[in-house]
Amino acid sequence: METKAIFAERFKSARLMNGFSLQDLADALGGTLSRQALHRYEKGEVIPDAEKINMLSKALNISPDYFFRTTKVEFSDIEYRKLSRMPQKDVAIINETTKEYLSRYLELEEIIGLPHSFDNPLKNFGEITTYEQVNKAAKLLREKWSLGNGPIFNIVELLEDKNIKVVKLNVDEDFDGLQTFVNKIIPVVAYNERKANKPDRIRFTLLHELAHLLLVLGDVTEKQKETLCHQFAGAMLLPEETIIAELGKHRTKLSTLELGNIKKQYGISMQAIVMRAKVCGIINDNYTKQFFFLIRQQNWKVDEPVEYQGIEESNRFEQLLFRALIEDQISMSKAASLSNQSLAEFKKQHQPMF
């Protein structure tokens, strides 16, 4: 692809990522560039000079070399949750923000020479239509990934270690999460930090999206698919053998104190624990309804009385960046660009380390 076409494609991506129309961008630039001039850039007719590129990069909150990156990022079919509620402008922001982060990440991996291989451990499991199958799939995945039946301390890091890219977005609250494949081989899950603003919610959301990514869901309704993915997330966080060991095989009622202790240990919400107890046959439907009535009465739907204190993050990108920098595979300015920072910002933050 020639330079003009690369610039045009990247320019449009940056504009959409910021939610700007051409006129919005012209206004953000204070009228120094007209809508017509910006239109010519986007059509690939003209490449602006260095001064104008710097102006554009500041207005669009990107580094100048963003416009000339050639790393390919092509999505397969994207599955969103609650997409129907969202305007196309917001969908474009989500898509382009995800692409921008992945383009930096994949370029860094290419510089270091890392493969993008991913093998779905559940690829031969078959179609899933029931909770029993979901439970078996979660159990098999835990076995394949050598997780045992104990707590998983950092879902984000686990997925990144398995070559699944995790993208954190700060976008419209109607968006929960998405999953797709990039360039047909690289699995990606994304979550909205505005919606999943607590570690236990992030964990559940990521595993829900992982279910969509790995499982072949059979001939069931969309609502049933969501339920099956919820059940997979619950089974991954709190396996059946584990919840039975914690609560016993049958109970007539549960204490919020013991639910809180399980939440603190396993990083799963009290509400999700109760749903696990229900599907595992530990409590009945009637008690489940009573519990959720209590949840509503106490206003615990959003803020439960016990918080999970775990950390959900991965430092893999930063680790790769520092590795490439210290081994002279990239310059300081390139490291700043891949971090989407100015050179001055990057030096101020990291210079003492080098």
Side-chain angles (χ1 to χ4, degrees):
M1 189 184 293
E2 66 175 27
T3 305
K4 283 184 180 179
I6 292 169
F7 180 88
E9 182 181 292
R10 303 291 286 173
F11 174 72
K12 182 176 182 179
S13 175
R15 177 177 68 77
L16 293 173
M17 182 169 59
N18 283 271
F20 285 160
S21 65
L22 286 170
Q23 187 59 54
D24 291 335
L25 180 53
D27 293 342
L29 291 163
T32 53
L33 289 169
S34 68
R35 181 191 179 284
Q36 290 74 19
L38 298 173
H39 179 70
R40 294 187 69 195
Y41 298 161
E42 196 161 295
K43 289 297 180 183
E45 296 174 8
V46 180
I47 295 179
D49 60 29
E51 182 182 354
K52 292 185 176 68
I53 285 175
N54 282 329
M55 288 168 48
L56 289 169
S57 65
K58 288 177 183 176
L60 295 168
N61 195 32
I62 53 174
S63 63
D65 83 332
Y66 168 89
F67 295 114
F68 302 100
R69 285 191 202 134
T70 57
T71 303
K72 185 177 77 168
V73 177
E74 293 180 355
F75 287 157
S76 301
D77 291 340
I78 302 177
E79 289 194 31
Y80 305 82
R81 283 199 279 158
K82 301 183 181 177
L83 177 62
S84 59
R85 297 183 187 178
M86 296 172 58
Q88 280 303 114
K89 174 182 172 181
D90 293 332
V91 173
I93 290 172
I94 290 166
N95 286 352
E96 300 306 326
T97 302
T98 303
K99 281 183 179 180
E100 192 280 328
Y101 172 70
L102 291 172
S103 73
R104 291 187 283 118
Y105 204 148
L106 298 184
E107 183 179 357
L108 179 57
E109 289 188 330
E110 287 169 8
I111 290 168
I112 294 174
L114 297 178
H116 299 309
S117 59
F118 173 76
D119 183 42
N120 181 354
L122 302 178
K123 62 186 176 185
N124 297 320
F125 192 85
E127 286 193 352
I128 289 177
T129 57
T130 67
Y131 163 71
E132 288 74 22
Q133 291 169 323
V134 158
N135 209 42
K136 286 179 182 177
K139 185 174 182 179
L140 178 60
L141 185 60
R142 270 186 166 258
E143 289 174 4
K144 294 274 189 179
W145 283 355
S146 303
L147 299 174
N149 284 329
I152 306 172
F153 293 108
N154 189 334
I155 301 293
V156 175
E157 189 169 61
L158 171 67
L159 298 185
E160 290 266 312
D161 285 346
K162 300 300 180 184
N163 286 329
I164 300 171
K165 298 292 182 282
V166 178
V167 182
K168 177 172 67 175
L169 300 170
N170 189 328
V171 291
D172 188 282
E173 289 192 16
D174 280 341
F175 169 75
D176 285 332
L178 69 80
Q179 29 70 43
T180 187
F181 279 84
V182 166
N183 303 341
K184 298 182 179 179
I185 59 170
I186 305 165
V188 175
V189 294
Y191 70 94
N192 187 356
E193 64 178 334
R194 290 194 201 175
K195 202 70 176 275
N197 58 353
K198 298 183 179 180
D200 54 293
R201 292 187 182 181
I202 293 171
R203 293 159 65 78
F204 197 89
T205 295
L206 289 176
L207 290 172
H208 177 105
E209 298 304 331
L210 183 67
H212 279 293
L213 198 65
L214 301 186
L215 304 181
V216 178
L217 299 173
D219 186 17
V220 294
T221 67
E222 288 304 312
K223 184 177 180 180
Q224 288 170 324
K225 285 181 181 180
E226 292 302 299
T227 298
L228 289 169
C229 290
H230 279 328
Q231 290 172 342
F232 178 86
M236 283 295 293
L237 290 168
L238 195 56
E240 193 165 298
E241 297 91 334
T242 304
I243 191 172
I244 289 172
E246 293 284 354
L247 296 177
K249 287 189 176 181
H250 298 290
R251 296 283 295 273
T252 56
K253 55 186 177 180
L254 300 171
S255 157
T256 55
L257 293 174
E258 62 184 329
L259 294 176
N261 283 332
I262 294 172
K263 175 178 180 175
K264 286 191 288 185
Q265 185 176 0
Y266 292 91
I268 177 173
S269 72
M270 294 165 66
Q271 295 163 77
I273 297 168
V274 170
M275 291 305 297
R276 284 293 293 148
K278 177 191 170 186
V279 296
C280 292
I282 296 170
I283 56 173
N284 61 28
D285 288 350
N286 186 51
Y287 181 74
T288 305
K289 290 175 184 175
Q290 289 180 38
F291 179 84
F292 278 95
F293 178 76
L294 172 66
I295 287 284
R296 290 190 295 273
Q297 289 292 100
Q298 299 293 330
N299 291 319
W300 289 347
K301 186 74 176 172
V302 175
D303 292 311
E304 294 183 343
V306 176
E307 294 294 332
Y308 172 64
Q309 300 297 327
I311 295 173
E312 285 298 322
E313 62 183 15
S314 171
N315 296 318
R316 184 173 183 270
F317 178 88
E318 288 78 10
Q319 287 292 99
L320 294 179
L321 186 78
F322 299 149
R323 169 180 161 185
L325 185 56
I326 206 69
E327 292 183 355
D328 294 323
Q329 291 177 290
I330 57 175
S331 65
M332 188 78 76
S333 60
K334 183 62 176 178
S337 171
L338 289 170
S339 298
N340 198 28
Q341 293 179 301
S342 70
L343 181 56
E345 287 172 331
F346 186 83
K347 281 183 175 179
K348 183 178 180 182
Q349 187 173 350
H350 299 296
Q351 186 73 63
M353 302 179 189
F354 297 100

